[in-house]
Amino acid sequence: MGNAFNVEVACDIISVTGESPVWSGKENALYWVDVRSNCIHRMKSNGEKNAWDVGERISSVGFRKSGGLIGTFRSGIYLIDIDENKKNAEKKLILNPDLPADTRPKEGKSDACGFWWFGSTCDGNKPLGGYYRLSPDGVCTHISSGVTMANGLAVNACGDKVIAADSISKTIWSWSLEVASNTLSKQNIFAECKDINGLIDGATFDEEGYYWCAIFGESLIARFSPSGELVRTIKVPVKYPTMCAF
């Protein structure tokens, strides 16, 4: 199932916990975060690099239609503005979610209706977390529960399919979204990954609708078909890959 690929280092910046790579076609730039260094990085296609301090741990970033970023922090969901001439990012809290004790926000992706999906994780290793959907007008809806470690959140290119996982139970779920009516389907099991060693981590979709996720601790990237079948694994030269992006 593994395939031979020439995997190269794209950027020499060393992160403590690199996460949430997202590509900006408008800027021709890759953004990502270093969770433990409280930092957002950007590298343009010409090699220019920037970094901004955000003051606390951040697990994911995405782009806003109006410009700027949105991010999931330990303390909540924030709007983020950056300036190339400043070292510190400016951020504004838009949601301090009411979560169960011992849980915190984690992950983050936007869907075709402009909603920001995020998960929550229990540091006590109990299934107290879940997934949430924040609307553009600030309404937060609780989508699912029973999650120990939220991971693997991804939205397809059309924005009408969402997939998310629990790294501990090794279960991956899916939802379909009717964009015109903003109607979300019931939660379905996409894949059960009991035979995979390591943890299901950050994920994305390719243009064919296949789901790709990092397998943390196993030096692997996995590709699943639209029906949830594991069809390919790719060995990478790092033990702890965290997320993939196109």
Side-chain angles (χ1 to χ4, degrees):
M1 188 177 294
N3 297 73
F5 284 84
N6 182 25
V7 180
E8 299 178 353
V9 175
C11 179
D12 59 3
I13 294 175
I14 297 175
S15 297
V16 180
T17 308
E19 266 283 10
S20 188
V22 286
W23 176 258
S24 168
K26 182 179 180 180
E27 298 180 68
N28 284 322
L30 180 70
Y31 284 77
W32 73 97
V33 305
D34 187 347
V35 180
R36 295 180 182 272
S37 296
N38 306 338
C39 188
I40 296 173
H41 289 279
R42 181 183 68 185
M43 183 181 71
K44 295 184 177 180
S45 57
N46 63 6
E48 179 185 335
K49 301 168 189 174
N50 302 92
W52 295 270
D53 190 291
V54 294
E56 64 173 296
R57 290 191 178 184
I58 176 173
S59 62
S60 60
V61 291
F63 304 115
R64 294 170 11 223
K65 185 177 181 179
S66 60
L69 305 169
I70 183 171
T72 301
F73 291 73
R74 292 180 72 95
S75 63
I77 311 302
Y78 287 77
L79 303 182
I80 309 165
D81 290 301
I82 55 177
D83 185 327
E84 291 185 358
N85 298 313
K86 297 180 179 180
K87 294 182 178 180
N88 297 324
E90 296 181 0
K91 63 184 195 288
K92 176 184 177 182
L93 179 67
I94 57 171
L95 179 70
N96 182 9
D98 183 16
L99 302 180
D102 298 325
T103 65
R104 56 181 171 82
K106 189 178 186 294
E107 294 280 280
K109 292 284 176 72
S110 59
D111 65 26
C113 293
F115 286 66
W116 181 250
W117 286 69
F118 66 95
S120 62
T121 289
C122 179
D123 290 327
N125 204 35
K126 298 177 182 179
L128 300 177
Y131 281 96
Y132 301 81
R133 189 171 180 244
L134 177 63
S135 72
D137 58 1
V139 177
C140 185
T141 303
H142 187 186
I143 301 298
S144 71
S145 57
V147 176
T148 301
M149 184 184 292
N151 253 322
L153 183 60
V155 182
N156 69 352
C158 297
D160 59 3
K161 185 173 183 178
V162 180
I163 289 182
D166 182 351
S167 295
I168 304 304
S169 70
K170 298 189 178 182
T171 302
I172 307 176
W173 301 283
S174 68
W175 297 264
S176 295
L177 175 64
E178 175 55 53
V179 177
S181 62
N182 187 29
T183 302
L184 194 67
S185 74
K186 68 177 182 178
Q187 178 176 312
N188 297 295
I189 292 179
F190 177 74
E192 294 278 10
C193 304
K194 309 299 184 184
D195 295 333
I196 294 180
N197 294 322
L199 301 177
I200 299 165
D201 210 329
T204 192
F205 281 89
D206 63 23
E207 63 181 2
E208 297 178 338
Y210 283 67
Y211 173 79
W212 295 71
C213 66
I215 306 299
F216 186 85
E218 286 295 310
S219 306
L220 290 177
I221 302 295
R223 188 191 194 215
F224 291 81
S225 72
S227 63
E229 178 188 0
L230 178 62
V231 294
R232 177 184 293 176
T233 57
I234 299 172
K235 197 79 172 177
V236 293
V238 293
K239 186 174 183 180
Y240 301 108
T242 58
M243 186 178 286
C244 38
F246 294 105

